[in-house]
Amino acid sequence: MVKSAYIHIPFCQHICHYCDFNKVFIDRQPVEQYLDYVEKEIVNTVAQQPFAELDTIFVGGGTPTALNMPQTERLLEIIQTRLQPLGTNAEVTFEANPGDLPKEKLRLLQEGGVNRLSFGVQTFNNELLKRIGRTHTSEDVFQAVRDAQEAGFANINLDLIYALPGQTPEDVKETLDIAFTLDVQHFSGYSLIIEPKTVFYNLVQRGKLPLPGEDSEAKMYELVMDEMERHGYHQYEISNFSRAGYESRHNLVYWNNEPYYGFGAGAHGYVAGRRLQNAGPLKKYVQLIDETGLPYTNVHEVTEQERMEEEMFLGLRKTAGVGKAAFLQKFGRPMHAVFGEVLEENKRQGLLEETEEAVRLTRAGKLLGNEVFQAFLL
């Protein structure tokens, strides 16, 4: 049974140099029409695949807080009328840009049931922020977090990125030192990935983007892990750190390989054993809903073998790893009967460790996570 929903808002006030998510400049875009069609998609999806109650809702983008006040109110109305009931203590998250959240919008979000904010901070170095195409400053972050806390938000995440162009481990340490002064509950720390169709990709192709080397990037990641633990933020997933009880319950749905709705242009869902991909371009998204009621451009029936592979490479992202009993219960087969050779080889290389209850990445395995995950695609 589905207990989580993701809603994609593809509009941005500006486009960052590294971003490859489905997004468009909000200026002169049919935002109100788009929200109407998101509502239609939700109604039609839930009619086919109903839920009892939702435990998590995550509104991402793009930049959801790029919507103006009436548009934000409309989005919250859709959530309040179409995605109910919510479970007790449901987690409702909005991604936010530090420069897009005046106090009146914070109040609107809180009154609309939002109880978790995720700010795209990336770094507290203002020169680096300019270099990566961000328009906010470190001062804007302080103001936004302070305003959110004063408005009563007690569950706040800051996204940070390391291995940025020209960045050093010393820069990362400085950003972390500043971040820890803000008294937030959660951090996400990602290394920069150069994706096609981005400004940074084009610069790399022309040899005009000075990126840290692999050794420097690894040093930055280890610095992030060590400093987070030292300041009371437990690493519960490769890139995520939280105080006790503030883990992202929505993202844990993905890593636990559980079903979720994906609404909006370019969104992905996992419902009734099918991976669903929505059309990305707004016109195509609208057209498909008009024609078929749903915006899918790809529907993939996940095989049993694929489910087991996903259980491993998603679950190993968690520091707790993949539980043996849970694997057996889900698939009726012991983990070692399916992946014995892969498990033993990665243990031999020092990338995995095994207890009676679970298999999980070692510290060395975290540094080479993608290689470990790839090994489980049989």
Side-chain angles (χ1 to χ4, degrees):
M1 180 66 71
V2 182
K3 294 187 176 182
S4 296
Y6 172 81
I7 302 173
H8 191 73
I9 303 300
F11 307 109
C12 290
Q13 298 285 5
H14 66 281
I15 306 298
C16 302
H17 297 343
Y18 54 86
C19 180
D20 76 326
F21 293 117
N22 189 48
K23 77 282 183 186
V24 293
F25 285 111
I26 193 169
D27 201 27
R28 295 189 292 278
Q29 293 293 336
V31 178
E32 288 77 11
Q33 180 198 39
Y34 176 76
L35 294 175
D36 289 343
Y37 275 78
V38 168
E39 182 175 29
K40 290 180 183 180
E41 182 194 357
I42 292 173
V43 170
N44 294 342
T45 300
V46 172
Q48 290 187 10
Q49 298 290 340
F51 63 91
E53 64 179 25
L54 294 180
D55 289 335
T56 74
I57 296 174
F58 194 105
V59 183
T63 312
T65 52
L67 303 185
N68 63 28
M69 290 288 286
Q71 293 162 350
T72 302
E73 191 168 10
R74 171 73 174 120
L75 175 57
L76 293 170
E77 177 193 35
I78 292 169
I79 293 171
Q80 291 164 348
T81 57
R82 303 302 185 183
L83 292 176
Q84 301 294 324
L86 294 178
T88 305
N89 299 319
E91 176 191 274
V92 182
T93 303
F94 255 63
E95 286 187 337
N97 183 39
D100 290 336
L101 267 184
K103 292 181 179 180
E104 58 268 24
K105 191 176 289 186
L106 281 166
R107 284 194 295 271
L108 180 61
L109 292 175
Q110 191 170 62
E111 290 167 3
V114 178
N115 54 24
R116 184 175 185 269
L117 294 175
S118 181
F119 286 104
V121 174
Q122 321 319 357
T123 176
F124 283 93
N125 182 314
N126 285 334
E127 283 303 313
L128 268 178
L129 285 170
K130 290 178 186 176
R131 202 176 301 163
I132 65 178
R134 301 290 288 179
T135 58
H136 75 264
T137 65
S138 60
E139 292 76 15
D140 292 331
V141 178
F142 275 91
Q143 187 65 54
V145 171
R146 184 164 52 247
D147 288 347
Q149 290 168 334
E150 289 177 357
F153 284 94
N155 193 353
I156 296 174
N157 169 65
L158 303 186
D159 278 344
L160 304 175
I161 299 180
Y162 59 91
L164 295 169
Q167 192 177 37
T168 66
E170 290 73 25
D171 290 329
V172 174
K173 177 66 163 61
E174 183 178 7
T175 274
L176 292 172
D177 288 343
I178 296 171
F180 293 136
T181 68
L182 289 172
D183 194 30
V184 299
Q185 290 71 37
H186 190 285
F187 288 100
S188 298
Y190 305 101
S191 66
L192 176 68
I193 299 176
I194 304 298
E195 301 283 5
K197 300 180 181 178
T198 64
V199 172
F200 275 179
Y201 181 83
N202 293 333
L203 290 173
V204 166
Q205 295 299 102
R206 289 154 46 198
K208 294 188 175 181
L209 194 68
L211 294 172
E214 288 184 6
D215 289 346
S216 183
E217 180 178 339
K219 184 176 180 180
M220 292 178 192
Y221 181 40
E222 293 197 275
L223 177 65
V224 170
M225 288 192 288
D226 292 341
E227 288 298 306
M228 288 290 177
E229 199 68 39
R230 196 163 71 86
H231 285 82
Y233 295 90
H234 173 64
Q235 183 177 22
Y236 68 98
E237 190 267 350
I238 278 185
S239 301
N240 285 272
F241 310 80
S242 77
R243 290 177 175 166
Y246 289 96
E247 297 83 0
S248 170
R249 286 157 50 200
H250 183 85
N251 285 339
L252 280 166
V253 168
Y254 303 148
W255 303 321
N256 288 329
N257 201 22
E258 296 170 352
Y260 58 93
Y261 298 118
F263 300 121
H268 293 73
Y270 182 33
V271 179
R274 301 185 304 163
R275 296 279 177 189
L276 309 166
Q277 181 177 349
N278 288 359
L282 300 188
K283 287 184 179 179
K284 184 67 173 177
Y285 174 78
V286 167
Q287 176 189 344
L288 284 173
I289 291 177
D290 279 339
E291 292 174 354
T292 69
L294 294 168
Y296 307 147
T297 56
N298 187 46
V299 177
H300 176 68
E301 297 281 348
V302 183
T303 67
E304 182 82 349
Q305 179 65 31
E306 288 170 333
R307 286 180 60 219
M308 290 188 290
E309 292 171 358
E310 291 173 351
E311 190 78 8
M312 297 305 297
F313 69 71
L314 290 171
L316 283 171
R317 294 189 63 91
K318 299 176 296 177
T319 54
V322 182
K324 296 178 185 178
F327 189 97
L328 180 62
Q329 183 178 7
K330 273 190 177 184
F331 304 109
R333 300 173 66 187
M335 188 188 300
H336 271 273
V338 184
F339 297 109
E341 289 186 17
V342 178
L343 291 168
E344 292 305 318
E345 175 61 21
N346 279 275
K347 283 166 58 181
R348 186 187 66 78
Q349 295 180 37
L351 304 177
L352 288 179
E353 60 187 11
E354 184 173 355
T355 67
E356 289 187 10
E357 294 80 23
V359 174
R360 59 183 180 235
L361 292 175
T362 62
R363 186 177 177 95
K366 291 175 185 176
L367 295 171
L368 297 171
N370 287 335
E371 294 180 24
V372 179
F373 305 150
Q374 187 71 27
F376 286 92
L377 298 177
L378 302 181

